Amino acid sequence: MIPIEYRIENEDESGTLDFKREIYIKDKNHEFLKDVVALANALSNDLYRYIVIGVKEQSGFKEYFDVKRDDVGDVANYQQLIDQNIEPNIPINIEYVEINDKNLAIFKIGPCYNAPYMFKKDYRKINQGMIFIRTGTSTRLAKRQELNLMYQNRKKITNVA
């Protein structure tokens, strides 16, 4: 398994790695949930997906910003938000690393072996039943063919795990 510090410094955003300059504010909880679902649904054999707070990537260059733990808050609040709005359950954890003298927060999402993940009720701008997927650096609604691939991928990951 590749250390997350290495991935942050050497990889670009992808289906399993997302960079955010700053922590989600409460008014943007729907964006947080959408990002978590999309990453969890990404077609990948990786069991874990990551949202890294404190990184701005532009044209292949990364800029790092200090993230205060108090601003991030308690993982239990994020887990409760996920549990109340998404099914099946997606475990989440928060880790902290230091890169270039900046403290970064990392939402470690997973293990993700039970896709498709979806919204189980309406939440702000997102309707019940919506299934988002992350492909490359973009997040969008999943297509039927991708749902089929999620079910196929689930069998592969379950057999490996």
Side-chain angles (χ1 to χ4, degrees), residues 4 6-19 39 42 46 48-52 57 62 106 134 136-137:
I4 190 62
Y6 179 86
R7 291 191 68 189
I8 293 168
E9 291 184 284
N10 296 290
E11 294 182 17
D12 295 329
E13 283 189 317
S14 67
T16 59
L17 183 64
D18 190 10
F19 297 129
L39 285 163
D46 295 345
Y48 295 95
R49 322 304 163 86
Y50 303 91
I51 299 173
V52 182
E57 182 182 39
K62 293 186 183 99
I106 302 161
R134 173 102 174 181
T137 61

Side-chain angles (χ1 to χ4, degrees), residues 43-131:
L43 297 171
S44 171
N45 290 332
D46 295 345
L47 281 177
Y48 295 95
R49 322 304 163 86
Y50 303 91
I51 299 173
V52 182
I53 310 295
V55 179
K56 180 181 177 185
E57 182 182 39
Q58 192 168 358
S59 303
F61 294 101
K62 293 186 183 99
E63 189 176 355
Y64 300 99
F65 298 88
D66 207 39
V67 177
K68 293 179 177 62
R69 288 180 186 230
D70 288 346
D71 292 343
V72 175
D74 188 357
V75 69
N77 294 330
Y78 293 99
Q79 188 66 65
Q80 182 179 25
L81 182 66
I82 291 167
D83 293 348
Q84 289 173 347
N85 292 285
I86 297 170
E87 62 183 1
N89 180 36
I90 303 172
I92 192 166
N93 200 355
I94 302 174
E95 300 175 355
Y96 297 90
V97 298
E98 185 179 312
I99 296 179
N100 291 352
D101 296 323
K102 304 290 183 192
N103 295 303
L104 308 179
I106 302 161
F107 289 99
K108 183 178 181 182
I109 302 161
C112 301
Y113 55 81
N114 206 10
Y117 298 94
M118 71 175 66
F119 281 80
K120 62 183 173 182
K121 63 182 184 179
D122 293 348
Y123 186 81
R124 296 194 183 159
K125 301 175 183 180
I126 301 171
N127 296 327
Q128 176 184 0
M130 286 183 138
I131 301 171

